[in-house]
Amino acid sequence: MESGDQHGVAGHAGQGASPGIGGAVPPPPSHAPDAGPPSPHAQEAGPPPSHAQEAGPPPSHAPDAGPPPDGAGLRAVAAGMLNLAGLGLGYALLGRWGRAAGCWAATAALLFVALPADPDGVPGGVLVGYLAVLVLAAADGARIARRSALGGSWRPVLAAGLGVVLLAVPAGGAVVYGSARDEAREQMLLERLEGGDQRVAAAARQPFGAAKGEYEKALGVYRALAEDHPASRAAKLLPDRLKAYYDAVSAPYAKKRHCEAVEPLTYLRTLPDAVGERLLGTLAAWPDEPLAASLYGCGVSRLGAAAGGSGGGGAELGELLRTFPDSAPAQQVGPAISERIKAQVAALKGAEPCAATAVLRRLGTTAAGLPSDRVKALRADADKGVVDGAYACGVDQFKDRKFGDARRTMTDFARTYKSDERVRRARDIAIAAEIAADRPPAGRRLPPKGRPGGARMELVISNDAPNAVEVLYTGPVTGTVSLKACDGCRRYSGAAVGARQACRTSGRSYPKARLRLPAGDYHFLYKHGTGATARVDSYSAGSKVRPGYTYTSCTYVIERSPFGLDLPVLPDPVRPVSVPRGVSPSDAGSSR
């Protein structure tokens, strides 16, 4: 509390009384002093004090002017240090309770903001503001104490010592708060680590392609912990977390799903470049061996598969040979393909020679595309098997009455492998298959391999059509002949007219073909070419050739309405068709 008391006023000092902060105060004089020079501390003129009046309480404030009371410096230090502790004790001992309450409010506000401890600590602005309040309070307390002359039991030395001791309160609080803040930061980092673990666990339940983004985010969490907080408890747990991470990503490999494992293992192999080997440790090189094994296992499992599906294993085996050429799996690629080729060559004698041939083709293509000369050489073994397989496939198709497929297969065989000794028979099978596609009885058995001996009968085929004709036949012998278009010949207006007039015009030279055939049952297919009768279909017929006869056949074309009525030749859409007359001894003819 402030006061206007002056230094010269003092109370009685009884015996044994302790001196105040300013030292012992002498008793007042019993009468007015003699005239003399005025004391610098003398009060202004006024009524003299009564000798019987007792002295009042000591002054509590220093005057605004004049030297401070004795011990002012020590009092100022003590009050300033007590206020610097943040508890406002300097103000309390000076009796300035309003100012003390202000210090308490500032400290309470700081505690409200700081607690509970946050990983980021107290905001810098709040901390600077609080320190400014403490410094101002210390300076203000020191100023007030310097002008105060309070007596009583307050000892400046004791107060200063107490201030020094109490300075440990904010210092200790700062230490405790720093420890709490560090623990909060550790807990925050552990929560981040747990968040990364949860991402890994969620990603492990999905295919790698769909979960790759989650894996990358989890790895980003781990990398940030290692780089930004390497000394944290969370960072020390990273080796175990990264091992779990690798186990989750490579789970298909552990389950022996090699094709599915290739993509995630390839991803793991890129991580050393992305996050650094220091973080990964021994895990950095771990994916090499599993990836090589998976590339081999996947590639071999796809050998011979259709290119539209898995690509025949060439992509995986090629990657293996390029990336890990010296690995044990890479050394097994050649033997694996060779064994597969041998197995398919053996399968050509089984029930599905066409399927085995297709596999051999793909095996040869795969071998030729791999980056290894030793493996490329296996293409020759596959191609040799394909030759045998193509022939076996055509025969099997004919026996299965797939005549259209048999014709295409054998025709391709004869064109592709012209030097093969089976080319002639392949052509016979193709001819028989084409006839059988229109006349199934022709496909009851394969054409004979050899040529029968004995007598042969002559068959003369004439063409009375304005277009070229190809005649295919099969029986004891198989073959084909072609007849040129007949100049001046025309289409007949009806079947009866054609039967009476075909190949009988006097003086006309009809294109002819002469065949010498062993006796037996034959099947014929007449194929009319393009030109005037481009819309005429092919026609097939069966005949029996007997010993001792000669035979003739005539082919011609008539116009017929879509309703089967014989009509004069009309423009489109009238569609010409063929009408058979059969093959018979002597003058009999076959016509269309």
Side-chain angles (χ1 to χ4, degrees):
M1 295 171 59
E2 296 185 1
S3 172
D5 293 347
Q6 297 175 340
H7 284 83
V9 179
H12 292 283
Q15 291 183 345
S18 299
I21 292 179
V25 179
S30 58
H31 55 84
D34 295 334
S39 171
H41 302 288
Q43 296 181 350
E44 295 179 0
S50 172
H51 294 284
Q53 183 180 3
E54 294 183 358
S60 59
H61 296 276
D64 294 335
D70 294 339
L74 188 57
R75 288 195 307 273
V77 171
M81 294 181 67
L82 288 173
N83 278 353
L84 198 60
L87 301 178
L89 294 181
Y91 285 135
L93 292 178
L94 291 171
R96 302 301 178 91
W97 299 106
R99 285 180 167 82
C103 290
W104 298 337
T107 300
L110 176 67
L111 294 177
F112 178 79
V113 173
L115 298 178
D118 187 85
D120 296 328
V122 180
V126 174
L127 190 59
V128 170
Y130 180 71
L131 292 176
V133 170
L134 292 185
V135 171
L136 290 175
D140 185 55
R143 180 187 64 80
I144 295 173
R146 182 177 179 82
R147 291 292 178 176
S148 296
L150 299 179
S153 60
W154 184 31
R155 299 291 188 271
V157 175
L158 180 61
L162 181 61
V164 173
V165 172
L166 290 179
L167 283 178
V169 173
V175 173
V176 172
Y177 180 79
S179 177
R181 182 189 59 189
D182 291 343
E183 180 60 24
R185 183 179 291 113
E186 290 287 353
Q187 292 300 321
M188 178 191 69
L189 297 178
L190 289 172
E191 289 177 0
R192 290 183 186 176
L193 180 65
E194 184 179 358
D197 298 342
Q198 291 174 353
R199 287 186 181 275
V200 172
R205 294 190 290 269
Q206 306 176 56
F208 178 77
K212 184 178 179 181
E214 288 297 301
Y215 280 125
E216 291 177 341
K217 291 177 182 177
L219 186 64
V221 171
Y222 297 156
R223 179 174 57 185
L225 289 173
E227 294 177 353
D228 300 337
H229 310 281
S232 65
R233 295 204 301 267
K236 293 177 181 178
L237 296 175
L238 283 178
D240 291 339
R241 296 305 198 276
L242 287 171
K243 178 61 170 62
Y245 180 89
Y246 269 61
D247 290 343
V249 175
S250 63
Y253 170 74
K255 297 176 182 177
K256 304 301 180 184
R257 298 203 294 261
H258 295 299
C259 291
E260 186 180 339
V262 169
E263 184 181 2
L265 288 173
T266 301
Y267 164 75
L268 290 178
R269 195 166 179 266
T270 65
L271 294 188
D273 294 333
V275 302
E277 295 186 7
R278 181 177 179 181
L279 172 61
L280 301 176
T282 58
L283 292 172
W286 177 82
D288 288 359
E289 184 175 343
L291 179 56
S294 295
L295 288 170
Y296 174 80
C298 180
V300 169
S301 71
R302 291 176 170 178
L303 279 175
S310 56
E316 293 79 18
L317 296 178
E319 182 67 21
L320 171 63
L321 292 172
R322 285 187 293 269
T323 308
F324 309 104
D326 299 326
S327 65
Q331 305 306 313
Q332 299 173 11
V333 172
I337 296 178
S338 179
E339 288 299 320
R340 191 64 59 88
I341 291 174
K342 292 177 181 178
Q344 295 306 309
V345 169
L348 295 176
K349 299 178 180 179
E352 298 292 339
C354 294
T357 302
V359 173
L360 281 170
R361 292 183 191 276
R362 292 192 288 268
L363 287 172
T365 300
T366 298
L370 294 178
S372 168
D373 293 339
R374 183 177 58 184
V375 178
K376 288 179 185 291
L378 297 174
R379 172 70 180 267
D381 296 338
D383 288 346
K384 183 179 179 181
V386 167
V387 177
D388 295 337
Y391 182 83
C393 176
V395 172
D396 185 70
Q397 289 170 334
F398 190 95
K399 290 180 178 179
D400 290 342
R401 306 183 70 81
K402 298 177 181 177
F403 299 121
D405 293 339
R407 175 200 171 193
R408 287 187 291 271
T409 299
M410 286 308 195
T411 300
D412 290 343
F413 179 89
R415 290 174 179 172
T416 305
Y417 310 109
K418 296 179 180 179
S419 61
D420 192 277
E421 60 183 8
R422 294 166 292 189
V423 166
R424 182 174 181 178
R425 177 159 171 76
R427 288 176 178 153
D428 288 350
I429 295 175
I431 292 171
E434 187 172 359
I435 298 172
D438 194 72
R439 182 177 176 80
R444 290 174 180 170
R445 62 185 62 86
L446 287 167
K449 293 182 179 180
R451 300 290 178 177
R456 296 195 173 221
M457 277 55 69
E458 184 179 70
L459 169 62
V460 178
I461 304 175
S462 301
N463 184 22
D464 188 5
N467 58 278
V469 178
E470 183 181 10
V471 181
L472 283 65
Y473 61 92
T474 185
V477 294
T478 301
T480 179
V481 294
S482 296
L483 290 83
K484 296 179 180 180
C486 176
D487 292 338
C489 294
R490 58 183 177 81
R491 292 172 289 182
Y492 292 96
S493 60
V497 176
R500 291 192 308 269
Q501 299 180 4
C503 296
R504 288 182 173 87
T505 302
S506 177
R508 176 169 291 173
S509 178
Y510 296 99
K512 299 181 184 297
R514 298 178 182 273
L515 301 177
R516 296 186 61 80
L517 303 175
D521 294 330
Y522 286 86
H523 304 277
F524 294 87
L525 176 65
Y526 299 85
K527 298 172 61 178
H528 288 264
T530 61
T533 57
R535 300 185 62 185
V536 176
D537 294 331
S538 298
Y539 168 74
S540 61
S543 298
K544 188 176 184 67
V545 175
R546 298 178 182 179
Y549 292 89
T550 61
Y551 296 85
T552 62
S553 177
C554 177
T555 179
Y556 60 92
V557 178
I558 67 169
E559 293 285 358
R560 172 174 289 181
S561 75
F563 305 103
L565 302 175
D566 291 344
L567 297 173
V569 177
L570 298 174
D572 289 338
V574 176
R575 183 174 186 274
V577 298
S578 300
V579 179
R581 197 173 67 189
V583 176
S584 59
S586 299
D587 296 330
S590 174
S591 63
R592 297 196 61 178

